[in-house]
Amino acid sequence: MAKARGGSDWIDAAAAQAIVSGAHGDPFAVLGLHEAGAAFVLRVFQPGAERVWALLPDPVALEPLGEGLFAAALPKRVAYRLRAEGSGATWEWDDPFRFGPVLGELDEYLLGEGTHQRIWQVLGAHVITHEGTEGTHFAVWAPNAERVSVVGDFNIWDGRRHPMRKRGATGVWETFIPGLGEGAIYKYEIRGQGGQTLPLKADPVGFGSEHAPKNGSVVRRIDGAVWQDADWLASRAARHTVEAPISVYEVHLGSWRRAPGDRMLSYLELAEQLVDYVADMGFTHIELLPVSEYPFDGSWGYQPVGLFAPTIRHGTPQEFRALIDAAHRKGLGVMLDWVPGHFPTDPHGLGRFDGTPLYEHADPREGFHQDWNTLIYNYGRTEVQNFLVSNALYWLEEYHIDGLRVDAVASMLYRDYSRNVGEWIPNKDGGRENYEAIAVLQRMNITAYGEVPGIVTVAEESTAFPGVSRPVNWGGLGFGFKWNMGWMNDTLSYMQRDPIYRKHHHHQMTFGLHYAWSENYILPISHDEVVHGKGSMLDKMPGDGEQKFANLRAYYGFMWGHPGKKLLFMGCEFAQGREWNHNQSLDWHLLEDPQAGPHHAGMQRLVRDLNTLYRATPALHVNDTRPEGFAWLEGNDAEGSNYAWLRKGGAADPVVAIVVNMTPVERRLRIGLPEAGQWDEVLNTDAAIYGGGNRGNLGGVTTEPVPWHGQSQSAMITLPPLSALYLRQSA
């Protein structure tokens, strides 16, 4: 092909045409410095150049071959730079074709096998020094592509200028672009089978993105992190056991609070304002709606395109780390919502990434979500499974995330999820379970718990699929906890009813105790309950203004006393009046309203006090997932819509009695108690400080030796209307 002479012999005509047209599948075999007999031939493709020199101690002028191609003979293999002139300009650069591969044989082997647990360390864009030169290494998986190029402003988006080198059977393409550094905007130009040039693609493993609506990937460094959370990391395993108090504040970063001018807060601003607020409110964890880069604000992050990129809406990866570090230094854990169930069809995303259904299934009966108009990952493909599991590990390791709440698990577990007969494909045994998705979830949990000590995973799973929060070696999915969607739906259905009708639905509030120990449950009042016309939590409550607040206070009292960890969406803690809107701040001004303010501030104080009591009282959390921590006193008083139960911790921990009245009628009634003596009223949702009528049992109650509710002792109590009381044995 190549000759050590000159003129048309410098390069094969077909190869030259393929280089010029951007059709060559292996440009590294042509361009750069190559041995040719007793000499070496340097070939350069630089459209727009009129003259090119190889900058050696004695510069060598390259012969123009036409259409941007140049060549010259060099006496030996030597490092060189290039200089060009054209249209009155002069520029210099290091030739990307001078540099050898970056990926090693072990990386290539593990990528090909689908067992590289940390693909982000080898794929994506990394600022490195390679063969003594600084630049950026790019690597991307596109096994069915005929040619892949990196394009950006740095090469006027011309895919012919920086084509990549294919790494054998792995399907990975890579190149090193010298002189390119952090902040460079790039995409991949992919030539699919048959020569079709695809829409430009963002980097599936990119660490940064442009601000929407632009969608280019951005070179971002993620190395060199400086953490100050060693104490937190050493202690967090104990904070994630089933015995620990876990109370989660769920947050959408874009609408929690806005800066002047309606600007979203930055990660650095959130590191102060949000972290301080959540710590003051007594929560143990912040859960963030997805922060993986996403194109459409209205998806709230649940249709991500850049799974490895913290959204630029609030800042850079380093600034996101600062938010996590600040939370840890305040004693708060941080969970992320993680979305392995589907991805959007945006042209720059993963769909038909290399011209074929690479990440998704080809058959829409397996690969298309009808509910969300999104694509479903092909979980049976080893590389896709590896991509997802590695992404989970990425957030836990690189950003010290404490937990992942996995979105829409039910949609992954069942092949017929939200599909009619004939619209889905059974598994190999003819059933509806998605074996491949189950394997992904199990592998993710095994990897996460095995590689990162002290973390926790949580499933949003709305069916009765068995063993969601049981270990994989017991046949479970391996999650630490599961959202109790049944409890949420039942109790909210009850609470929305006028109290006069509640007696007919009494056991909607008790039914959760029939299965409360089957999983490790979190009780969720999440963003899904305050959107899409469902109204706010306050809106759901029946009655006039005062009664709405009283109902909601009683419900929170019921929730915090019920077995299970707690989760509350932002704004619910101060009873925001309107439905959540992702495009604007929460209505913080309600706390200052002279009319409604005392009720909203009272609700906020109640949630703070519930968190404080929950965390400080072992009886309220130690046995959240075990039946020995719960005993009904009264679960069948449908006519009075009253409920009473005991919560128990260890043998030495004081017992707590919770009594709830779900009618607007004050009651005087007797409750059984397990021990004689004084019982203090440690929380009353009707207290004046919470906006209530201040009725109750000031000073507590003293038992009498009158058997009641199966207990040896009992006491008469005043139970205010629409209220929850907590009574605890005096020390």
Side-chain angles (χ1 to χ4, degrees), residues 6 35 53 81 94 99 136-137 166 169 229 238 241 280 300 313 411 433 634 664 669 721-722:
E35 191 171 357
W53 293 266
R81 278 176 61 81
D94 282 299
F99 297 87
T136 299
H137 173 247
K166 191 171 185 179
D229 62 351
T241 68
D280 176 68
W300 318 325
R313 287 167 175 81
S411 76
E433 293 81 9
E634 178 56 80
L669 51 81
L722 299 172

Side-chain angles (χ1 to χ4, degrees), residues 424-459:
W424 59 282
I425 298 176
N427 61 35
K428 63 184 179 66
D429 297 319
R432 57 197 285 259
E433 293 81 9
N434 190 327
Y435 294 154
E436 295 81 10
I438 291 169
V440 169
L441 294 170
Q442 290 175 324
R443 179 178 166 189
M444 182 278 294
N445 280 313
I446 290 170
T447 302
Y449 280 101
E451 295 292 323
V452 192
I455 59 89
V456 65
T457 61
V458 180

Side-chain angles (χ1 to χ4, degrees), residues 346-367:
D346 296 68
H348 68 284
L350 297 180
R352 298 191 67 85
F353 186 79
D354 62 359
T356 68
L358 187 62
Y359 287 88
E360 72 274 28
H361 286 278
D363 192 322
R365 291 175 297 172
E366 294 184 283

Side-chain angles (χ1 to χ4, degrees), residues 126-193:
H126 294 265
V127 179
I128 63 171
T129 298
H130 181 47
E131 297 178 7
T133 300
E134 292 185 359
T136 299
H137 173 247
F138 297 88
V140 65
W141 180 56
N144 302 305
E146 291 186 355
R147 187 260 300 162
V148 182
S149 298
V150 186
V151 295
D153 291 338
F154 51 86
N155 62 14
I156 58 175
W157 300 89
D158 184 347
R160 302 173 301 165
R161 293 173 184 263
H162 289 103
M164 305 175 81
R165 172 191 281 120
K166 191 171 185 179
R167 295 303 302 271
T170 64
V172 171
W173 300 72
E174 70 164 338
T175 193
F176 173 73
I177 302 182
L180 202 64
E182 186 165 21
I185 299 167
Y186 70 99
K187 287 186 179 181
Y188 293 115
E189 182 184 281
I190 299 175
R191 182 182 171 95
Q193 294 174 339

Side-chain angles (χ1 to χ4, degrees), residues 331-562:
L332 294 170
V334 181
M335 300 180 185
L336 285 190
D337 278 11
W338 185 58
V339 188
H342 63 134
F343 58 93
T345 58
D346 296 68
H348 68 284
L350 297 180
R352 298 191 67 85
F353 186 79
D354 62 359
T356 68
L358 187 62
Y359 287 88
E360 72 274 28
H361 286 278
D363 192 322
R365 291 175 297 172
E366 294 184 283
F368 187 74
H369 255 310
Q370 300 173 119
D371 290 356
W372 305 316
N373 293 322
T374 53
L375 300 172
I376 302 170
Y377 289 102
N378 182 352
Y379 303 111
R381 184 159 193 162
T382 306
E383 298 92 340
V384 174
Q385 184 177 123
N386 199 48
F387 172 79
L388 292 171
V389 173
S390 188
N391 180 250
L393 192 58
Y394 166 79
W395 291 106
L396 299 172
E397 288 194 338
E398 293 291 342
Y399 296 98
H400 288 197
I401 295 301
D402 302 292
L404 298 174
R405 174 269 195 186
V406 182
D407 181 61
V409 170
S411 76
M412 299 174 64
L413 295 177
Y414 296 104
R415 289 172 163 267
D416 64 345
Y417 180 86
S418 197
R419 294 178 188 272
N420 298 317
V421 175
E423 296 177 346
W424 59 282
I425 298 176
N427 61 35
K428 63 184 179 66
D429 297 319
R432 57 197 285 259
E433 293 81 9
N434 190 327
Y435 294 154
E436 295 81 10
I438 291 169
V440 169
L441 294 170
Q442 290 175 324
R443 179 178 166 189
M444 182 278 294
N445 280 313
I446 290 170
T447 302
Y449 280 101
E451 295 292 323
V452 192
I455 59 89
V456 65
T457 61
V458 180
E460 184 213 12
E461 204 284 308
S462 55
T463 73
F465 190 92
V468 172
S469 59
R470 296 295 177 256
V472 173
N473 60 354
W474 292 7
L477 293 182
F479 286 93
F481 292 92
K482 171 181 170 173
W483 275 18
N484 194 335
M485 309 292 282
W487 174 91
M488 176 273 296
N489 284 317
D490 287 343
T491 59
L492 283 184
S493 172
Y494 176 92
M495 292 304 302
Q496 287 176 275
R497 300 181 189 278
D498 188 297
I500 198 171
Y501 301 116
R502 285 177 176 169
K503 62 185 179 182
H504 303 300
H505 305 273
H506 186 76
H507 289 293
Q508 283 188 295
M509 299 294 273
T510 67
F511 184 66
L513 272 303
H514 290 283
Y515 59 86
W517 329 115
S518 62
E519 301 275 4
N520 301 331
Y521 280 120
I522 292 176
L523 310 181
I525 300 299
S526 75
H527 64 280
D528 279 329
E529 312 325 314
V530 293
V531 290
H532 299 322
K534 297 177 186 176
S536 67
M537 286 297 291
L538 189 65
D539 243 357
K540 298 180 197 298
M541 300 298 116
D544 59 20
E546 294 273 350
Q547 287 190 339
K548 282 181 177 292
F549 281 99
N551 269 294
L552 189 54
R553 290 194 302 267
Y555 181 59
Y556 288 165
F558 177 89
M559 175 179 173
W560 258 258
H562 193 286

